[in-house]
Amino acid sequence: MQTRNNDKLQQEIDALQRPLIGRRFMSWLLFVLVLLGALVLPVTASVWPALFQPVEQQTAGLRKTPEQAQVLNTAYMRASPTALGLDAQWTPGPLSSAHQPFGLDCKSCHSKPFQPVQDRDCLACHRDIGNHVATKIAAMPALHETRCATCHRDHQGAEGLVSQNRRYIGSGCASCHGDLESKLPGTQVGNVKDFAKAHPQFRVQVAVSNTTLVRLRQGGAPLSQPNTLKFPHDLHLAKAGIAGPDGKTRLDCSSCHKPNASGVGFEPVKMARDCQSCHALAFEPALSQRQVPHGSVPEVLSTLREFYGYVNSSKVPLDTPPANGPVFTVRPGMPASAPASFVQGPGDARARAAAAATELFEKTSCVVCHVVSRVPGPGKAGTPGADLPQWKIAPVTPPHAWLPKASFDHASHKQTPCGDCHLAAKSSKSSDVLMPTIKECRDCHVGSEPVVGKVKSDCAMCHGYHMPDLHTAPAAAHMKSVKP
Ligand code: HEC
Ligand code: HEC
Ligand code: HEC
Ligand code: HEC
Ligand code: HEC
Ligand code: HEC
Ligand code: HEC
Ligand code: HEC
Ligand code: HEC
Ligand code: HEC
């Protein structure tokens, strides 16, 4: 009896001392939970994303106020766009700061599970990033077969990508460019090792026609760019000034070159804003206020045809020239008596308009700045000037980048006088190329070794790796760059 009781007691004690659940069972449970949380759920989420759609889509059928849905939704989205953030457990390290805002959405870069990052995923956001060189220019495997992720390894901390770029620019550029001439036989790109010691003279891009750009190396004879717009810088920048409507006027660079919004470059020079105050497009000295518009040939001819038709029929009183001072009419500096009046000229209104047009196009105005040629008529149908003689203004060379393969910001050089880099004040022809050479840059910029009083400059200061201009954004849409 005693032993029996003891046995029973012992059994109870044993039962109490035995763990509630077997150790084996515990291990299995933990294993399954981890498997579920760290593998099955994330994998399910990536294979059947529909199961983890934002709450709003799943609950669209249920009656819920939009506010309720919204709160649930944003909470859910913030937690994780994929699998409630469970896949974040796999991250090998923090992403770069630029990528952290969407860092929980692993799929934005890892679109294929268990595979290396695809360039496609990066390009989905970095759509406009160009390659270093277009394949048709140089088909080097090292350039075209290297994955984005080979150079940009993420998960190396907030500053990771930036410091990788810096490291690459410190040594990666010269590994190719130090001896490119032998790596890529026939290339026109010179070897580069360091800006101060081994960097070729620049190749300046000039327009040889209105549709074709070529790049010409500096260092030999001065470069020129054919230009149908006539403009002598020297004459206009004369220290003593130049004749203007209010007497001698001193012009400086900023009279015509206004910084653009970013300050990197300049607004294009405009006739109406920068020239017309002196080069008035007046055509009839007896009515000296009147000017033709600075526009197309039909616009100019129509204005003249209408003007002489009108004064012919309505007997407008003529101006008497002011008693003192020159009347500022056509070509600045010209004596006031020089231009002829056509109001009382021979013939009918058409003949007077034709004579005035010939004077304007060929002698006093357009021809001063443009290459003007006579063309057989009649003019543009339906315009009043169609029955007058006709002219053609040679198209003006459009503005374009001069050194497209490097960056240059005028705003960060505004302490330096313009004339240190551009010899404009000595230039008498618009065909002179006024771009600085490497010598001017080296006055201040040295290479990667610091020099007291100079600006230490590695490749990254002036160049990037990705060169979008080769691929997406040519200088001017209709201009093509060709090899000389
Ligand atoms: C901005 C893009 C980006 C995002 C977002 C991203 N990764 Fe990565 N991940 C990379 C890159 C780049 C690599 C290097 C891949 C390579 O070399 O093929 C990488 C590598 C990895 C590797 C392999 C580690 C190695 O050294 O090869 C794992 C694991 C990984 N990522 C997990 C994650 C997880 C988990 C997330 C979400 C929390 C995530 N990643 C989000 C870009 C990203
Ligand atoms: C979901 C969009 C997105 C994806 C996908 C993405 N990026 Fe980015 N990345 C960004 C944004 C946004 C920035 C910050 C851009 C900025 O500041 O101009 C950035 C910045 C960068 C930078 C500059 C880092 C810095 O701080 O200077 C590099 C390099 C970069 N990404 C490379 C990659 C690579 C390589 C991949 C593919 C593995 C990738 N990115 C995928 C959006 C994305
Ligand atoms: C894998 C080799 C390689 C690396 C690395 C490399 N480049 Fe290049 N680079 C080239 C090739 C090839 C060309 C095109 C040559 C041609 O047009 O004939 C080129 C062209 C250029 C040009 C334009 C030259 C011109 O006038 O048309 C510049 C500027 C340039 N690279 C700068 C750099 C910088 C800066 C780095 C480092 C961030 C760098 N490169 C890294 C191979 C490389
Ligand atoms: C009266 C107006 C005017 C003034 C003042 C003027 N420019 Fe110009 N500039 C022009 C015009 C018009 C062009 C375009 C025609 C051409 O290519 O010469 C031009 C073009 C240029 C160009 C690019 C063309 C090339 O061939 O390189 C540079 C650089 C330049 N000017 C610098 C200067 C500097 C520096 C000053 C002051 C010392 C100056 N300019 C003063 C009107 C002016
Ligand atoms: C402040 C007045 C003034 C402004 C502004 C001005 N010019 Fe002139 N320009 C003159 C004068 C005066 C002459 C005549 C100088 C002479 O013949 O000695 C002249 C002459 C010229 C000539 C003829 C040069 C020659 O060798 O025959 C051209 C071309 C010319 N200007 C173009 C322009 C252009 C283009 C602009 C605007 C970007 C411009 N000018 C702005 C005053 C000006
Ligand atoms: C003082 C110099 C000057 C005179 C005089 C002048 N122009 Fe111009 N013209 C310019 C300049 C500078 C440009 C380019 C900038 C602009 O459009 O304002 C230009 C541009 C043009 C263009 C556009 C050409 C193109 O390819 O884009 C036409 C057309 C034109 N001028 C017609 C005329 C006609 C017609 C006359 C005579 C009635 C005339 N111009 C007189 C300086 C002048
Ligand atoms: C440190 C040298 C330097 C100084 C100083 C400088 N420039 Fe330039 N400038 C350049 C270079 C380099 C370019 C070529 C940029 C390009 O197109 O790639 C240029 C281009 C230009 C152009 C033609 C491109 C455009 O945007 O129209 C004009 C005009 C010009 N500069 C005017 C000026 C004026 C005006 C000043 C003084 C306020 C000035 N520059 C000061 C170096 C300089
Ligand atoms: C009178 C001295 C001087 C000359 C000449 C000069 N630079 Fe600079 N440059 C500077 C200084 C100073 C800085 C600013 C450095 C800094 O911020 O660390 C600078 C900055 C730059 C930068 C960095 C861009 C930026 O926005 O800060 C580039 C690119 C550059 N220069 C290119 C050139 C080129 C190309 C030339 C020749 C055409 C040139 N520089 C001539 C003094 C000069
Ligand atoms: C101070 C600014 C500056 C620095 C620093 C600089 N470059 Fe340049 N580089 C330029 C300019 C400006 C050009 C002319 C761009 C053009 O032709 O459009 C140029 C042209 C080039 C070219 C074309 C050469 C050719 O034969 O036409 C290559 C390649 C190049 N640089 C590579 C480099 C490399 C690699 C480094 C670093 C070791 C470097 N550069 C440092 C400003 C700089
Ligand atoms: C051979 C190495 C290399 C490869 C391959 C490469 N890059 Fe870069 N990338 C660089 C370097 C060096 C820089 C820093 C210089 C610069 O700003 O251009 C950079 C800068 C960037 C930047 C920041 C520059 C900016 O304009 O904001 C982005 C974004 C970028 N790379 C995306 C990509 C993408 C996407 C790919 C794949 C299609 C890629 N890179 C392939 C070397 C590389």
Side-chain angles (χ1 to χ4, degrees):
M1 192 69 204
Q2 186 71 35
T3 37
R4 270 185 107 196
N5 283 348
N6 277 352
D7 277 359
K8 217 174 173 188
L9 192 66
Q10 192 55 46
Q11 271 172 6
E12 260 169 51
I13 291 170
D14 285 354
L16 281 172
Q17 280 179 345
R18 209 182 298 136
L20 209 55
I21 305 164
R23 275 198 208 113
R24 189 172 292 262
F25 181 76
M26 286 273 270
S27 328
W28 273 108
L29 187 72
L30 209 64
F31 174 72
V32 170
L33 279 177
V34 169
L35 192 73
L36 205 71
L39 187 67
V40 179
L41 267 177
V43 169
T44 319
S46 83
V47 180
W48 294 289
L51 288 179
F52 294 86
Q53 277 305 300
V55 182
E56 188 175 26
Q57 286 169 36
Q58 284 190 7
T59 55
L62 307 175
R63 236 173 273 133
K64 202 178 258 157
T65 66
E67 291 77 32
Q68 277 173 319
Q70 188 62 39
V71 170
L72 267 170
N73 233 357
T74 43
Y76 176 89
M77 298 293 269
R78 218 179 5 245
S80 166
T82 49
L84 302 163
L86 288 168
D87 49 0
Q89 302 162 80
W90 292 10
T91 182
L95 290 167
S96 92
S97 53
H99 288 154
Q100 278 174 11
F102 59 92
L104 280 174
D105 185 3
C106 313
K107 286 191 88 181
S108 53
C109 294
H110 299 279
S111 65
K112 292 233 175 89
F114 308 110
Q115 276 190 28
V117 173
Q118 321 260 307
D119 286 4
R120 228 176 342 104
D121 299 331
C122 312
L123 291 168
C125 290
H126 299 287
R127 216 169 288 132
D128 296 332
I129 198 96
N131 200 342
H132 185 55
V133 176
T135 324
K136 66 177 190 313
I137 293 176
M140 268 180 142
L143 291 178
H144 304 291
E145 287 160 23
T146 311
R147 293 164 53 240
C148 313
T150 308
C151 294
H152 304 292
R153 291 197 67 85
D154 216 322
H155 301 291
Q156 314 275 317
E159 284 293 301
L161 291 184
V162 175
S163 60
Q164 283 165 23
N165 287 353
R166 232 179 273 134
R167 216 175 309 130
Y168 186 87
I169 289 195
S171 58
C173 309
S175 74
C176 256
H177 283 283
D179 190 22
L180 194 68
E181 284 165 12
S182 67
K183 284 198 178 71
L184 192 71
T187 184
Q188 304 200 8
V189 174
N191 289 345
V192 190
K193 290 199 189 80
D194 180 84
F195 188 70
K197 296 187 202 123
H199 190 295
Q201 285 280 7
F202 305 148
R203 284 188 292 161
V204 179
Q205 176 168 266
V206 301
V208 288
S209 77
N210 273 18
T211 49
T212 311
L213 297 161
V214 299
R215 296 171 65 202
L216 306 173
R217 178 103 48 205
Q218 289 176 320
L223 303 179
S224 69
Q225 160 174 293
N227 202 331
T228 51
L229 181 70
K230 302 175 202 167
F231 180 70
H233 271 91
D234 58 355
L235 202 81
H236 290 82
L237 291 165
K239 285 221 172 64
I242 186 166
D246 309 314
K248 286 265 178 187
T249 310
R250 274 204 67 174
L251 298 175
D252 59 20
C253 312
S254 65
S255 311
C256 300
H257 297 294
K258 317 267 185 222
N260 59 18
S262 62
V264 170
F266 297 88
E267 296 290 341
V269 175
K270 283 284 162 209
M271 159 66 176
R273 189 193 62 199
D274 304 315
C275 323
Q276 208 165 346
S277 61
C278 296
H279 294 270
L281 295 180
F283 55 90
E284 179 45 72
L287 283 165
S288 58
Q289 303 307 313
R290 200 51 206 268
Q291 296 191 28
V292 291
H294 181 242
S296 67
V297 174
E299 282 176 87
V300 172
L301 291 178
S302 297
T303 307
L304 293 174
R305 186 74 177 86
E306 283 171 350
F307 176 84
Y308 287 100
Y310 175 73
V311 290
N312 206 31
S313 60
S314 56
K315 301 271 175 288
V316 186
L318 301 185
D319 281 1
T320 36
N324 48 1
V327 183
F328 215 81
T329 50
V330 273
R331 184 159 166 191
M334 268 181 134
S337 59
S341 168
F342 303 96
V343 183
Q344 287 147 334
D348 58 2
R350 197 202 73 89
R352 288 169 185 175
T358 309
E359 183 86 354
L360 189 74
F361 276 94
E362 297 182 358
K363 291 194 187 130
T364 57
S365 272
C366 316
V367 71
V368 173
C369 302
H370 290 288
V371 174
V372 177
S373 50
R374 270 280 179 114
V375 292
K380 194 176 171 201
T383 62
D387 62 352
L388 295 178
Q390 299 294 319
W391 287 269
K392 185 171 170 280
I393 304 281
V396 171
T397 309
H400 58 80
W402 298 85
L403 297 169
K405 304 289 189 231
S407 66
F408 181 81
D409 186 340
H410 278 90
S412 47
H413 292 88
K414 61 170 179 275
Q415 310 297 348
T416 313
C418 313
D420 283 11
C421 287
H422 302 291
L423 295 177
K426 294 210 179 74
S427 158
S428 62
K429 299 188 297 288
S430 64
S431 58
D432 294 343
V433 169
L434 305 174
M435 288 302 139
T437 67
I438 196 167
K439 189 187 156 295
E440 280 79 63
C441 310
R442 280 175 175 162
D443 285 348
C444 300
H445 290 273
V446 292
S448 49
E449 278 169 35
V451 172
V452 181
K454 305 249 174 165
V455 183
K456 179 174 171 286
S457 319
D458 60 13
C459 319
M461 186 172 216
C462 305
H463 301 286
Y465 179 79
H466 299 278
M467 292 199 242
D469 78 286
L470 289 170
H471 315 281
T472 49
H478 63 284
M479 292 180 107
K480 273 211 192 73
S481 194
V482 298
K483 292 201 173 180

